[in-house]
Amino acid sequence: MAVFALIDFVTSAVASHLWNPVITRMIYLIEKEENIGKLDSTIRNLEARKQEIQIRLMNSERKQETCNPEVAEWLEKVAAIESEVSEMKHGQRKRRAQSFSYWSNHETGMQAAKKLKEAEMLHEKGSFKQVSIEVPPSDCNLSRVLQYLKDDRVGIVGVWGMGGVGKTTLLRKINNHFLVVNEDYGYDLVIYAVASKACGIGQLQADISERIGLFLKPGSSIETRASVMLSFLRRKKFLLLLDDLWNYLDLAEAGIPYPNGLNKQKVVLTTRYESVCGHMDAHSRVFLECLDQENAWKLFKEKTTEETINSDPRIEKLAHAVEEECGGLPLALVTIGRAMSTKKSCHEWALALSFLKKSRIHEIPNMGNLGQDKQIKECFLCCSLWPEDYSIWKVELIDCWMGMGLIEYDTMEEGYNKGYSIIEYLKDVCLLETGYLEDSEVRVHDIIRDMSLWISSDCSKEHMKWIVQAGLGLYNISNTDIKTFRSARKISLMCNYITELPPALNCPNLQFLSLQQNFRLKAIPPSFLKSILSVTYLDLSWVPIKELPEEIGILVELQYLTLKQTHIRLLPIAIGLLRKLKFLDISYMDFLEKIPYGVFTNLSMLQALNLYGSRYAGHEADFDPANHMDYDEFRVEELPCLSLGITAKRVSTLQRLFDVPGVHLRCLGLYELNGERSLTLTLTESIFVLNVMGYSDLEDFCIMNKPQCYGDHLSRLEFLTFWDLPRLEKISMEHLQNLRVLTVGRTYQLVDLTCILKLPYLEHLNVSCLPIQAFRQLRILQLNSLQSLDRLCNSKLDFPSLEYIDAFACPRMKKLPFGQMGKLKSIRGEQTWWDNLEWDDESSFLPLLPFFKSSEICSASFRPELDATVISSSPKAFFTKRQPILNSSVRFTSYPQSIFETEEFDGHMKME
């Protein structure tokens, strides 16, 4: 039976394939005459509809509107099918004169059926409500010139306007118009030629003759060539498109007959000067204006792309500012728009805006500045100075580049924007990748780092310029190492266990030395400093030395010095001898007791001083300004013009800081301002970080901007922290349009935080209580020690940008209010809390399950992405995963000590 079934199936299939085409052909023959009749009727209807549309288009032209592209395409298809049907009918008439042919009649019937179907579809699509659209300015100018070319009274048309306004583009459109449009203007020749400043008559003659195919004898004079060209062109109807004319040109001398509109001989010229149009006796003139704001933004957005404009809410505002700086000039809009089309960082846009305002457009990345290549290469090589697989804090990396003189800038803000721009470029070309903390860190792939070290070491064992032994677990510097170091220009020994430095290195060419994060190193020998006299960059951060030798003053080439997180008690007065010093970082120095008076006064080249996070308060002591000899400690009035980070303990100090001319506060800490219950702080535009902490009496805190900060000069404040403020009841904030990270903790009386609803670009929120609403930019949410909190809100909210959630010591919170979270990476909390959560249904539980990570420890001093296991693991893990952040309220100095001075640490060292 199966065999018969198979035979039946095959027979049916063969019969179908043989029979169906026969039936189809018979239908074509039977319905041929009927289909031809229907086709004639449909074509007549199409013709009527076409004429009606053409009349509507003629009326639209008077309103300076142009044909809708969809309508233009329809008209082309109608013209094509009219031609095809006419040709088909002509062929049918020829075949009728011959004997009957089955195949020819079948072919005619098949064609008629297909064309009828196409014609009916075209007629159906031809019912357009709107046949024209508003003419863009450039197309409007094109229409004007084309109208002049139809006017026999016009021989020369002069197009003029400033450079970059679109004159050459318009001339090319005119040229292309005659290449693609069949409209008959009656020209035998359309000639495009450039008559720029550098182009003489001889070159112009050669260009024109080449385009018209006229042979000119080599070596012949200008006069002879002109005679030959005149004789040839007088007999032709021509249109000469002459671009970029700077001065009067005698057409006859060049071999061009004077244009006579009646004889269809015309010239369209472009120039920057209306006077040239006058000297050339232009019969009609077209002035090209810059685009109005609406059309300028439309063009700029088209070249920049919607994707880039919408990639960050802050970019659109900066993009509008960049577009306005272009002044409606199409060339600038197109060129800069294309250059910025891949820039999705607000720092890159701020930098571009800065360059435009200073007329330094060539310095905008992607604008073809060859000098950037060398700068970017050197910046990239510096990334290899950190240990393998190390997540480098972006700010620290940029500080390094600026400290090494790799970035030129007018202001610190411009310097940081340049640095962020370089980082984005290096990420785009895959030389850098995102770090452990995606938004604030980068790292170099191991293979890329090896290549970088090979390049920076001069590819030769005999003459190594860079020595990088970062993160290798070194306990000391051997004599062999010292011999190797002698020819080095840069030495990185960061993240090691070095306990003692040698008496000397003897590196006469050394420029860069980093000893940061050697937590067991307790002293710097004076003789060691004497052996590195040429050094310009010295990093001793996170090294627990208690004093800095006076011999630091002999490093007269030093430009960058960081003593961040050291245990130094007295800043040596010899630092005042470092006359070339530009950057001095003495932040987070908890043990600093004194900075001598006059140290900073002598540092005439100092650009940046960072005292932020240091609890030194000597600069706030009461003194008699008239007799500073009685005051032997640093005071804020002696600060030169610089970028400043500082922590203050008195309200009076704030006013003194704001009154110092030329000081740009970048990081400001307010610590233990006891006695004041209410405080209103008026921010300067330059403040980037603000930290308010340990203020036991404060009940009401208000942040305002200076009046000039409104509008386009909003505060740059991005990081804001309120910590350990037990009586704080109210926080008021206005116009903090750039705030990205807000931390509020240990504020036991604070019950109202509705002010955060005015923070449109908030990304990271760490709070003690929160009447939450939707935050489209919120990336990080931390909930800590909220014993009474049972819910965040009554309904589910979408958090499209939320990536990390921390919930610790929140035993009463039984439900998560989260709706859509397309970017979620981690939920961290105690296992008991997670197990006791209540869910509406399985569909709300299962999508979140893969993201939960159980942890019993909440480390408030670290970002939520940091594994809690790092705290109890080896120091080596600490090197690559620790990250103190600018806005953090937690002290870091004691933390490394607790790790590196334990018995476990000693045991770990022995195992290594």
Side-chain angles (χ1 to χ4, degrees), residues 252-286:
E253 184 182 352
I256 304 164
Y258 186 79
N260 185 334
L262 292 171
N263 294 336
K264 293 293 180 183
Q265 295 177 340
K266 298 198 176 190
V267 171
V268 179
L269 63 89
T270 66
T271 179
R272 293 189 181 189
Y273 309 107
E274 186 179 16
S275 58
V276 172
C277 295
H279 293 151
M280 294 299 296
D281 293 327
H283 304 106
S284 298
R285 303 174 191 178
V286 176

Side-chain angles (χ1 to χ4, degrees), residues 807-824:
F808 288 93
C810 302
R812 297 184 61 182
M813 190 172 72
K814 300 296 185 182
K815 280 198 171 186
L816 297 181
F818 308 119
Q820 295 297 320
M821 294 186 293
K823 296 184 178 180
L824 186 64

